[in-house]
Amino acid sequence: MTVDRIPPHPARRRGRQPDEIHDIVGIGYGPSNLALAIALSESEAGRSVRARFVERQETFGWHRGMLLPRTTMQVSFLKDLATQRNARSEYSFVNYLTERGRLNEFINHQTFFPTRHEFHDYLEWAAARVDADVSYGTSVVDVDVVDDHFVVTVEGRDAGVLRTRNLVVANGLQARLPNDVQPSRRVFHNHQLLSRLRELPEPTRGRWAVIGAGQSAAEVVEYLHTTYPDAEVHAIFGKYGYSPSDDSPYANRIFDPAAVDDFHGAGPEVRARLMSYHRATNYSAVDLPLIEELYAREYAERVSGRRRLFVRGASRALDIVERGDGVDLRVRHDTSGRVENLRCDAVVCATGFAQMEVGDALGGLADRIVRDPSGPRVGRDYRLELCGDLPGAIYLQGGTEHSHGISASLLSNTAVRAGEIARSLVAGIEQGGAGWEGDERAAARPPRIAAGA
Ligand SMILES: Cc1cc2nc3c(=O)[nH]c(=O)nc-3n(C[C@H](O)[C@H](O)[C@H](O)COP(=O)(O)OP(=O)(O)OC[C@H]3O[C@@H](n4cnc5c(N)ncnc54)[C@H](O)[C@@H]3O)c2cc1C
């Protein structure tokens, strides 16, 4: 079935104009800014917004290095790019399934959690469908203010400068390696897993080490153990064992749109307490079926006497150094103090991500960010506070866990957040960009984006 699409606004059909001053430039075009482009395209007021997005990757891609077979989404497919904002959206996962001719098969599958491969295909489908002006293969390297607008310097395929009255920063998480680890060809973050494995020669000694106790770490262990059927896989982490992620219904409410209101309205102590209660919904936690699968594999090897999966809890990896065609490391068992030398083909650090650092994207404006002890000060509508006069607003999609709660870097709230930003942006543009209203007045006014934004 093909759904009739809303025609693009004349301003967008007109194509790119040299020296045009855009209403928004979006930094990064992952799911967050894709959801924003969709929210804008689904309303009359939004369609007249002159938006340009800048994306470093050559084509749309969502964490391609971790698109491992058998991995599934950690959020329900209903938390797609649009449904929670506009349940009638043509960009829903259900419409994607319909267009791909798989709706009935998906229903019979009886799951809320599609594979990451399928969700990636959905995101690519949505990116190809929405009428948005995206410069792929192009990176934002600096932002400054000149006269009445921001000037965004970009490098790559569409190198040059872009002029805009507003910015939406959605440049994603930053892969984090342990402090004492030097990245090298054979020592890398799991975010690059598939591309790095492709570049390595055939494993010589058939031994891998994976550091970390979170979902990605366990997925990498499962993948390497399955893909290299003669290789040893050593999982090394400080916890005594993998612990399960809490996706029970009451705990899941922490990802609801209403939880963002609660969190943003709370004081710093309450926010810190809520984060600490609910860390296990997202951090250092693994889906229970995967824990059980790994345990069953290790146990079967104990029975057969042919061990090649070694899950080493209460341990840490020390002195990881690439030498010749392998990596030397020492594994210290925390409780006994025993130390063992291991030589591996590669060491994968599944050691997590740091929140998006907005200062990295803003270059020359970074020192104007107003900061609280917990992080940059951000309004409920995701507007960043900066000192001095500015031509318009800077919105954040990500990097707001300290102000908006645990869903900040996840997909859980993407559709709703995109609608809230779109509404705030349109309200600001209608006032000529400058002289932004406070949140309360903006909230009191009837939203201008009617069709579900
Ligand atoms: C392996 C993995 C699996 C995940 N699975 C889930 C899940 O199941 N459920 C969930 O809720 N969350 C999940 N997440 C969390 C993840 O953050 C979100 O899924 C989602 O990617 C957030 O979208 P985003 O657009 O904010 O950031 P990203 O998807 O990271 O996109 C940011 C984009 O900005 C681009 N960029 C960065 N800097 C620049 C620059 N200077 N100039 C131009 N472009 C730039 C990047 O190339 C990137 O494409 C997962 C994360 C990982 C790493």
Side-chain angles (χ1 to χ4, degrees):
M1 187 183 88
T2 316
V3 178
D4 285 344
R5 297 179 56 192
I6 304 165
H9 187 273
R12 206 159 299 155
R13 272 205 303 256
R14 206 175 61 217
R16 293 178 181 171
Q17 309 290 318
D19 290 332
E20 178 178 15
I21 300 186
H22 296 84
D23 294 317
I24 353 167
V25 165
I27 304 179
Y29 199 64
S32 296
N33 270 343
L34 170 57
L36 176 63
I38 291 171
L40 291 171
S41 78
E42 289 192 321
S43 81
E44 206 184 316
R47 278 195 302 283
S48 55
V49 169
R50 288 160 302 174
R52 175 86 165 265
F53 297 92
V54 182
E55 169 53 49
R56 180 186 286 154
Q57 299 184 81
E58 294 295 325
T59 56
F60 184 88
W62 179 63
H63 307 304
R64 285 178 189 273
M66 280 293 288
L67 283 182
L68 308 180
R70 300 175 293 282
T71 55
T72 57
M73 296 300 292
Q74 255 87 53
V75 293
S76 159
F77 70 85
L78 292 170
K79 294 186 172 183
D80 58 25
L81 295 166
T83 298
Q84 283 177 297
R85 172 183 55 78
N86 173 15
R88 296 188 183 87
S89 172
E90 62 170 299
Y91 295 92
S92 69
F93 189 76
V94 169
N95 191 37
Y96 152 80
L97 288 172
T98 308
E99 295 227 333
R100 287 282 195 256
R102 278 201 305 272
L103 181 60
N104 293 321
E105 286 74 10
F106 186 82
I107 293 169
N108 292 337
H109 196 19
Q110 297 187 8
T111 183
F112 274 103
F113 306 103
T115 62
R116 278 222 290 274
H117 269 289
E118 186 171 29
F119 205 76
H120 190 275
D121 188 53
Y122 158 67
L123 294 171
E124 277 187 317
W125 167 88
R129 185 183 184 92
V130 69
D131 176 44
D133 185 359
V134 187
S135 286
Y136 285 104
T138 306
S139 295
V140 171
V141 293
D142 196 17
V143 179
D144 217 334
V145 176
V146 174
D147 303 329
D148 62 346
H149 57 271
F150 294 106
V151 174
V152 182
T153 308
V154 295
E155 286 180 353
R157 206 192 286 169
D158 289 341
V161 293
L162 299 174
R163 299 172 198 287
T164 181
R165 302 229 191 264
N166 303 286
L167 285 159
V168 184
V169 183
N171 56 349
L173 298 164
Q174 313 280 321
R176 189 173 51 198
L177 288 174
N179 286 341
D180 50 353
V181 168
Q182 276 303 319
S184 65
R185 200 163 69 110
R186 291 173 182 273
V187 180
F188 49 84
H189 192 272
N190 69 283
H191 196 232
Q192 303 164 308
L193 181 76
L194 291 179
S195 58
R196 289 306 192 92
L197 289 181
R198 274 195 296 272
E199 286 162 14
L200 284 180
E202 271 299 293
T204 47
R205 58 196 57 73
R207 185 184 285 149
W208 310 93
V210 181
I211 302 172
Q215 177 70 23
S216 291
E219 287 174 357
V220 173
V221 168
E222 191 278 339
Y223 175 75
L224 293 173
H225 189 259
T226 307
T227 308
Y228 301 96
D230 296 319
E232 284 181 13
V233 182
H234 294 254
I236 302 165
F237 49 80
K239 280 185 161 182
Y240 205 77
Y242 292 116
S243 35
S245 56
D246 181 356
D247 65 347
S248 55
Y250 284 107
N252 250 345
R253 292 167 81 175
I254 199 76
F255 301 109
D256 286 355
V260 178
D261 288 327
D262 287 338
F263 197 90
H264 194 269
E269 276 169 31
V270 175
R271 289 180 183 177
R273 208 177 319 136
L274 289 176
M275 279 303 293
S276 116
Y277 286 149
H278 293 290
R279 280 191 75 73
T281 53
N282 185 47
Y283 291 109
S284 261
V286 183
D287 283 349
L288 186 56
L290 180 54
I291 297 177
E292 291 168 342
E293 170 64 26
L294 292 178
Y295 193 88
R297 289 189 192 190
E298 199 179 17
Y299 184 78
E301 291 178 5
R302 285 180 198 275
V303 173
S304 70
R306 189 177 163 256
R307 291 292 304 278
R308 59 186 199 88
L309 175 58
F310 298 86
V311 176
R312 297 159 168 272
S315 297
R316 57 201 67 239
L318 308 170
D319 307 326
I320 303 169
V321 182
E322 178 167 344
R323 283 197 191 90
D325 64 353
V327 183
D328 291 320
L329 70 151
R330 296 187 304 135
V331 182
R332 182 178 189 280
H333 194 253
D334 280 341
T335 53
S336 65
R338 200 180 63 244
V339 175
E340 201 181 319
N341 295 320
L342 277 186
R343 186 155 168 85
C344 299
D345 286 284
V347 174
V348 184
C349 299
T351 40
F353 293 84
Q355 290 290 304
M356 178 184 99
E357 179 37 66
V358 57
D360 290 350
L362 292 188
L365 290 186
D367 56 1
R368 290 174 63 178
I369 298 171
V370 179
R371 290 183 183 271
D372 287 328
S374 57
R377 198 178 297 164
V378 191
R380 174 60 188 85
D381 61 352
Y382 300 95
R383 241 186 302 153
L384 180 66
E385 221 176 282
L386 289 107
C387 34
D389 285 342
L390 287 171
I394 299 178
Y395 294 87
L396 302 188
Q397 301 223 61
T400 58
E401 197 175 79
H402 62 290
S403 52
H404 291 68
I406 200 160
S407 61
S409 62
L410 302 174
L411 297 171
S412 330
N413 201 34
T414 303
V416 173
R417 180 180 63 205
E420 289 169 345
I421 292 176
R423 195 175 299 132
S424 177
L425 261 166
V426 168
I429 292 164
E430 284 175 352
Q431 289 164 44
W436 291 86
E437 292 181 324
D439 286 353
E440 297 80 359
R441 284 180 56 205
R445 208 174 25 174
R448 294 299 305 263
I449 296 190

